[in-house]
Amino acid sequence: MHHFNHERLDCYQVAREVVEWLNNEKFPVGRSNLKEQTLRASESLLLNIAEGASRVGQSRAHHFRIALGSAAEFCACLDLLPFQNKVEQQNKLRRIGAMLSKL
């Protein structure tokens, strides 16, 4: 069976875990703007890791930089939300950031 390059990356696997966790959280009423921003950042993180892993050279680096920014944005969004276990998830996002910085 063929596997895409991103499926082999630890940063992608950890990002999937955090996105799955987010999808099981309930956003506070009246914070639809923050919900949309958080979901966009989480999707951008995952999708840019996948796209970057399939590229080479400057294009690869560009997508990984975008993913890094999305991880930081996602982490900041969690600062504004009252979710359980958010500190654990933020630590995973920091770990993802460290991995992306080395790719």
Side-chain angles (χ1 to χ4, degrees):
M1 172 190 278
H2 174 76
H3 289 280
F4 290 104
N5 292 339
H6 68 274
E7 294 174 307
R8 296 182 183 100
L9 293 176
D10 191 36
C11 63
Y12 181 81
Q13 297 303 326
V14 177
R16 273 189 49 218
E17 289 175 19
V18 181
V19 171
E20 287 175 18
W21 165 83
L22 178 67
N23 289 332
N24 290 315
E25 290 298 313
K26 187 170 183 166
F27 283 81
V29 174
R31 300 304 305 265
S32 60
N33 60 328
L34 185 56
K35 178 180 180 179
E36 291 302 315
Q37 190 75 21
T38 306
L39 293 174
R40 278 196 308 272
S42 70
E43 292 165 358
S44 175
L45 169 62
L46 208 59
L47 296 174
N48 276 291
I49 291 171
E51 189 162 359
S54 70
R55 304 287 182 110
V56 294
Q58 288 294 67
S59 181
R60 178 182 177 92
H62 175 72
H63 285 284
F64 287 153
R65 278 193 305 272
I66 292 171
L68 178 59
S70 295
E73 181 180 9
F74 188 177
C75 192
C77 287
L78 294 181
D79 281 335
L80 301 171
L81 292 162
F83 294 157
Q84 296 292 320
N85 302 321
K86 74 177 183 181
V87 172
E88 178 183 339
Q89 303 309 315
Q90 287 175 311
N91 286 336
K92 287 181 182 179
L93 290 167
R94 291 180 186 102
R95 184 173 152 222
I96 292 164
M99 288 186 268
L100 287 169
S101 295
K102 295 176 184 174
L103 292 177

